Structure formats: C-alpha cells, structure tokens
Amino acid sequence: MTDSAAAGAVPTDGTKQPRRVRVVLLALMIAMMLAMLDNMIIGTAMPTIVGELGGLEHLSWVVTAYTLATAASTPVWGKIGDMYGRKGSFIASIVIFLVGSALSGMAQDMGQLIAFRAVQGLGAGGLMVGVMAIIGDLIPPRERGKYQGMMAAVMALAMIGGPLVGGTITDNWGWRWAFYINLPLGVIALAAIGVVLHLPKKRSQAGIDYLGVALLTVGITAIVLVTTWGGTEYAWTSTRIMELIALGVASLVGFVFWQTRAAEPVVPLHIFRSRNFTLMSLIGFIVGFVMFGATLFLPLYQQSVQGASATNSGLLLLPMLGAMLVTSMVAGRVTTNTGRYKIFPVAGSALLIVGLYLLSTMDTGTSRLTSGVFMAVVGLGMGCLMQITMLVAQNSVEPKDMGVASSTTTLFRTLGSSFGVAVMGALFNHRVQDVMAERAGALGSKVTEQSAQLDAASLAKLPEAAREAYQHAVSSGTHGAFLLGAVVAVLSLAAAVFVKEVPLKGAGPAKDDAGDGAPAAVTVTETV
C-alpha cells in the first residue's frame, strides 16, 4: 500500500476512525447492497414482468444472463483494479450497473430485458470485488474484523428485505421501478466515492490479457450453463450438456496453460502458492454451495410443508440470517482484539455440518420453532466463515494482487453457488418425483411432471391426498439436499484444519517506523 492509500486507512493506535473513511465505507455498503439486492427484488417482480412483456419461454434467461455476465466479469474487474487503479474501475462498474438498470427498466420486450440484464451483470461483477478490494486497501486485516458485521448486516438485510421490497415496489409503482430504484442509491454511492475516496492512480505498462479473458469467460459461461440447464432444460447426459462440459474443461485448461505465459495474467497463478489462499478459495466455494442451496430449499419447505406465507419468504430465513449477523460481528471483534482467526473456519465448518445434518432430519411434523433452531445453527457456522475467508485470502497476497485475490475468492463462491443450486436441486427434484409416484401413483407423477416445485396456488388446487403426498415428497427432497450439504461441508472442515495462522497486518496498537499509526505497507504472506 502506498502512502497515499495509507493516508485513508484506519489507524491502529486506537484513534478515532477518520470521517472520510466512514463516508467511503457507507458508500461501499450501498454499492454492496445494490449487487446483492437486485436479483431478490427482480425475482418477486418476474410474474408481473412476464405478464406485460410476454416471452415466458425465455424467463430463465433474465436471471441467467445476469449471472453469466457477473461471473465472467468478476476476475476481469479485479485485475483491472490492480493494473489501473481501484477507484476508477469501481466507479466504472457502478456506472455500467446503473446504465444496465435504467435500460432494463425501459425494456419493451423480453429480448431487450435479457440483453440489458447482461449489461447490468457486467457492472455487478465489479461491485462486490471493488468493495472488498478497496476495504483491503483502506483497512489493515487486523482492524478489518470490526467491519465484518457491517457486511453481514447488508447481506442479511438484502436477503430478508429483497422479496418484501420487490413485492411492495411492483404492487405500488410497477415492475420497472424494481430497476429504477437502483439509480438514486447508485448516484449517492458514486458521489461519495468520487469526492471522498483517495487512492493512488496506477498505470500498468502491460496491456490487458485479452486471450486469458476470452478463455476464462468461455470456461465460466460453459460451467454456469451446465449447472443452470442440467436436469431442467436438458438431461444431464444429453449431447448439449456433454458439449458444454467439454468446452468448459478445454477452455479452463487452456486458460491455466496461457496464464503461465501471459505478460500480465488475469489470474496470476502464483497466488495459489499460498496455502491459505488456496484453502480459503476452497472454503469459499463450499460456503457458496451450501448457502445458496439452503436459501433455496428452506423457504420451499416452510411454504409447502409448514404452510408459511410466500409473501414473507424473506422473514422465514431470519433465524439463520440473524445468527449469521451476530456471529460475524463477534468473530470480527475477536479477530481485531486478538489477531487470531483459525478457530473461526474450523468452528464454522463444524457448525455447518451439524446444522445441515439437523435440517436433513426435518419431516412433515417438524415445528417452525424446531426448524428455526436448526437454521440458527447453520447461521452460526456461516457467520464464522463468510467474511473470514475474504480476510485471510487478502492477507495471503501482496498488495499489488489485492484485486485478483478478492475477485478470485468471489468467483469461487459464485461458482459454488451455481453448483450448489444445480446439484442439490437435481437431488431434490429426483426425490420429490419418486416419492410422489410412490404415494400418489399416476396423479403424483402428473402433478410433478413439469416441475417438482409447486407454487402456493398450484398446491392449493391439489386433492387432499395429493397435497399430503407432496408434503412428504418435499420433506424427503430436502432431507437428501441438506444431507448432501452436510457431506460437502466436511471438506470445508478438512480444509480449515490445514489453515496456517499467519499474523495479520496492522496487528497490535504499536505504531510503525514512521510513527504515524498507519498500517504497515508490507503484507505478511506465507507459501506452501
């Protein structure tokens, strides 16, 4: 970190945090909220959008286009920030996101909406990476733990409030405002970042690795399409899925080969020489796998089996998200006060295993109180893992690689979520259809022929026997999905055990050699 960057950093000698840093952090949290809230708001508005624009057969592409663009652009934004400066790249990502939001709100047909959502996704890929990398520049890891609670709170607020906000906006202002609502928030973030954030400008002599970008984009796109289409649009063994798998593997192998030769690689492979960075990437993948699977199937279980209202689907996750928020804050404070962090990935992984196993035991007779306790255990585990993975990953690389470290960790979590939804979803659908065929015969097979997930209206129309069969089927499906999640979480525990507790930058209240209380410019790193 240069002197210019360090000037905006949080002091480590106990002095009060500079006001301009607090303003920057607020702007960063707004940008993070934009990235996390968008899909949840849009999901609620989708039925209304389809009703006005038509194109039901292309509905899934509204989400897929956004997801693909976000995943593919994430590592590129991280590298651009490292090469040319984080402030400029972050502002550019916000502007692209806002342009995509405005265009999406003005879309006149489904084709336009899909294209504009892809533009929005390109910008979103830089939002989370920019937030994490700028915080990494401004705040030393030892002090960064204090702000974990802020990031966890934003995440919890987005997941709880997203469906409620989306429903309210759509019902009162129309679906176009589900996109337009991003504009005033984005402008506030832009103004604060533009005026208050001061980071050193960079200019790399090397150009952008366009071949690496192309290979990585094709590889990530193929992976996301396989996990999105497999078992739904196409059978897992179909020619199309096999072609995508072959294309993805070939592209990623070519990408790794080229990164060893590129002058300025998109993802410099030397960062994986750090044992901690590699382990955190693996743990991040598993957290994404488990978390997005849980948030998909828990509301479905509570609505279908426990009779909860779909309108309050975000509130159904409150026990898990509340526990995650509290634990994240505690973990951050303990890390700041002691400089020790290995206990959190170990304890978090163990809690994930226990919580997911408990969720797998739920059946048609499980009360909301019991399921809420089980969710809280999962939330405790997530709170120990969510921000610690990024903190340790950033502490494991040199400052010049802060952007690619943040983007690579984020990418692994994104890919984990894609795999989690696909694999757990395939297992869930298979179990639901089998149990429906066993319990309701031909009627059961007909009910779930199109989809194993029924909405409240479809469920209410079923005969009593078929409805009871479906409740048992959903219980069986969630049992298999969560049991798989518990097994996968064992890998996270195994990885956490091998984490090496390297001292965090900025540890302790002592001032550096300059005597100004700013964090040291040298990152402590470790290698295998």
Side-chain angles (χ1 to χ4, degrees), residues 227-488:
T227 57
T228 302
W229 284 349
T232 53
E233 297 288 329
Y234 303 96
W236 285 105
T237 56
S238 67
T239 302
R240 180 60 56 86
I241 295 299
M242 292 297 106
E243 288 173 347
L244 285 172
I245 291 175
L247 177 62
V249 171
S251 299
L252 293 179
V253 169
F255 171 75
V256 172
F257 175 79
W258 175 248
Q259 292 306 280
T260 63
R261 287 158 175 75
E264 193 66 51
V266 180
V267 180
L269 300 183
H270 67 78
I271 62 177
F272 289 100
R273 294 174 188 162
S274 164
R275 184 200 333 180
N276 277 2
F277 181 84
T278 303
L279 292 173
M280 288 302 119
S281 297
L282 174 60
I283 292 174
F285 179 92
I286 295 169
V287 168
F289 188 104
V290 169
M291 181 175 181
F292 285 89
T295 54
L296 175 65
F297 295 111
L298 279 171
L300 178 62
Y301 169 84
Q302 291 190 306
Q303 292 169 33
S304 302
V305 179
Q306 296 181 327
S309 168
T311 306
N312 298 321
S313 57
L315 297 176
L316 301 176
L317 299 174
L318 190 57
M320 183 177 75
L321 298 175
M324 183 180 74
L325 172 59
V326 172
T327 312
S328 185
M329 294 176 67
V330 171
R333 286 292 176 180
V334 171
T335 300
T336 297
N337 293 335
T338 67
R340 306 187 70 83
Y341 53 80
K342 180 174 179 176
I343 183 62
F344 295 112
V346 172
S349 299
L351 285 167
L352 265 189
I353 295 170
V354 173
L356 289 165
Y357 173 76
L358 291 174
L359 288 177
S360 75
T361 64
M362 296 189 303
D363 55 28
T364 55
T366 304
S367 67
R368 291 191 190 182
L369 175 61
T370 301
S371 61
V373 172
F374 295 168
M375 281 190 283
V377 176
V378 173
L380 292 174
M382 296 229 182
C384 291
L385 293 170
M386 287 299 294
Q387 305 305 330
I388 287 291
T389 53
M390 182 64 72
L391 170 65
V392 178
Q394 290 180 336
N395 192 60
S396 302
V397 301
E398 298 293 341
K400 66 183 179 63
D401 292 323
M402 187 73 72
V404 292
S406 302
S407 63
T408 303
T409 306
T410 302
L411 177 62
F412 271 92
R413 187 176 297 179
T414 301
L415 294 178
S417 68
S418 294
F419 276 93
V421 170
V423 177
M424 294 173 78
L427 181 61
F428 173 86
N429 292 342
H430 180 71
R431 286 299 303 150
V432 168
Q433 290 168 350
D434 282 354
V435 173
M436 284 296 284
E438 291 172 7
R439 287 181 168 266
L443 175 61
S445 298
K446 185 177 180 180
V447 166
T448 57
E449 183 179 0
Q450 297 299 321
S451 174
Q453 300 179 29
L454 303 181
D455 57 27
S458 300
L459 192 59
K461 295 176 182 178
L462 293 179
E464 182 68 24
R467 191 181 308 118
E468 289 183 3
Y470 184 70
Q471 291 174 340
H472 282 283
V474 169
S475 295
S476 179
T478 53
H479 166 77
F482 289 128
L483 195 58
L484 172 64
V487 172
V488 172

Side-chain angles (χ1 to χ4, degrees), residues 30-101:
I30 292 175
M32 185 176 173
M33 175 73 77
L34 287 174
M36 300 197 65
L37 199 60
D38 188 76
N39 261 340
M40 297 186 178
I41 289 180
I42 302 310
T44 310
M46 282 312 300
T48 306
I49 294 174
V50 172
E52 181 173 327
L53 298 183
L56 178 62
E57 67 275 15
H58 304 304
L59 174 64
S60 63
W61 275 103
V62 176
V63 175
T64 301
Y66 180 91
T67 304
L68 278 175
T70 301
S73 64
T74 292
V76 180
W77 282 114
K79 187 61 180 180
I80 290 174
D82 284 343
M83 292 175 64
Y84 302 111
R86 269 181 256 293
K87 179 176 178 178
S89 65
F90 187 54
I91 288 177
S93 69
I94 296 176
V95 170
I96 293 173
F97 181 84
L98 295 182
V99 169
S101 298

